[in-house]
Amino acid sequence: NAGVTQTPKFQVLKTGQSMTLQCAQDMNHEYMSWYRQDPGMGLRLIHYSVGAGITDQGEVPNGYNVSRSTTEDFPLRLLSAAPSQTSVYFCASSYSMGSGAPYEQYFGPGTRLTVT
Amino acid sequence: SQQGEEDPQALSIQEGENATMNCSYKTSINNLQWYRQNSGRGLVHLILIRSNEREKHSGRLRVTLDTSKKSSSLLITASRAADTASYFCATDDHVGKPLVFGKGTRLSVIA
């Protein structure tokens, strides 16, 4: 199994440009999430999905869109990039979520995004 | 908003010493987990403790949970240079929502 994969690994955008960060998992996990990590801020949840066709907002959703057309893929779209979106983005998946039953999240290697 | 707060923010120890990191959280939880992040990499799950457990061991890792104080600690015994990483606690407190992570403790183990 490849686990959780993310592309690209690095990206530089100019302010106002749009792009899509790709995330895929081959573990048949229903639940997928996007986090951003900034120095001193830990991980903050952007959007998440509990299954194909179902998405919801996290703590910092503004400026980002997601969709979940298949179980495997969960792309994150930046609509109009801003310098405040410079960050490292992590995608994660799990077989369960917040039902009380224990679960662990599997993380991708991250995408390092710089917006100039 | 973030649930867990790790303490200290940074810790530097010699190889062979024990490292202790603490996590405090605000609301009731179902489970608490610890993750490790090596520089430039994604997070890796280390250990999970349920809300009805008080202590758990995994190799050189020991986790305790005190739900009355809303706190957890992670002890790494006989640390190695390879343990150098950031360590995050994460809580599962909301039905149907992903884990909430703290800001992490940066551990440096000096050989």
Side-chain angles (χ1 to χ4, degrees), chain B residues 31-80:
Chain B
N31 308 286
L32 186 143
Q33 305 182 34
W34 286 90
Y35 286 76
R36 183 186 72 226
Q37 183 182 35
N38 290 94
S39 181
R41 302 286 189 93
L43 279 72
V44 175
H45 179 262
L46 291 176
I47 193 167
L48 178 150
I49 187 165
R50 300 180 191 228
S51 59
N52 62 356
E53 296 176 316
R54 291 297 166 258
E55 187 171 313
K56 201 152 183 191
H57 296 255
S58 178
R60 294 184 296 112
L61 304 181
R62 172 178 169 254
V63 170
T64 61
L65 179 64
D66 187 335
T67 53
S68 67
K69 295 181 179 177
K70 293 187 171 58
S71 68
S72 173
S73 67
L74 171 67
L75 169 68
I76 304 174
T77 60
S79 61
R80 307 166 181 166

Side-chain angles (χ1 to χ4, degrees), chain A:
Chain A
N1 286 353
V4 180
T5 58
Q6 292 183 238
T7 56
K9 284 186 167 47
F10 302 93
Q11 183 70 50
V12 178
L13 290 178
K14 294 187 187 306
T15 297
Q17 288 184 316
S18 62
M19 78 158 296
T20 300
L21 279 63
Q22 302 291 343
C23 174
Q25 52 91 11
D26 62 357
M27 297 172 282
N28 203 31
H29 285 168
E30 286 294 320
Y31 303 90
M32 297 185 74
S33 313
W34 276 103
Y35 294 88
R36 60 177 287 174
Q37 185 177 33
D38 302 295
M41 296 295 292
L43 275 78
R44 293 184 291 171
L45 181 67
I46 305 172
H47 285 285
Y48 64 99
S49 169
V50 300
I54 306 170
T55 64
D56 205 347
Q57 296 181 351
E59 180 186 356
V60 288
N62 292 341
Y64 307 94
N65 271 359
V66 292
S67 60
R68 184 97 179 272
S69 56
T70 67
T71 299
E72 294 78 19
D73 301 298
F74 191 42
L76 178 72
R77 282 183 290 277
L78 278 70
L79 309 172
S80 177
S84 61
Q85 294 179 304
T86 293
S87 187
V88 182
Y89 291 84
F90 289 99
C91 179
S93 73
S94 59
Y95 58 83
S96 179
M97 181 188 295
S99 63
Y103 66 95
E104 65 176 275
Q105 285 190 291
Y106 294 80
F107 282 81
T111 294
R112 189 174 297 273
L113 175 69
T114 301
V115 182
T116 62

Side-chain angles (χ1 to χ4, degrees), chain B residues 78-96:
Chain B
S79 61
R80 307 166 181 166
D83 294 327
T84 294
S86 290
Y87 292 82
F88 294 86
C89 67
T91 55
D92 168 15
D93 55 346
H94 292 96
V95 175

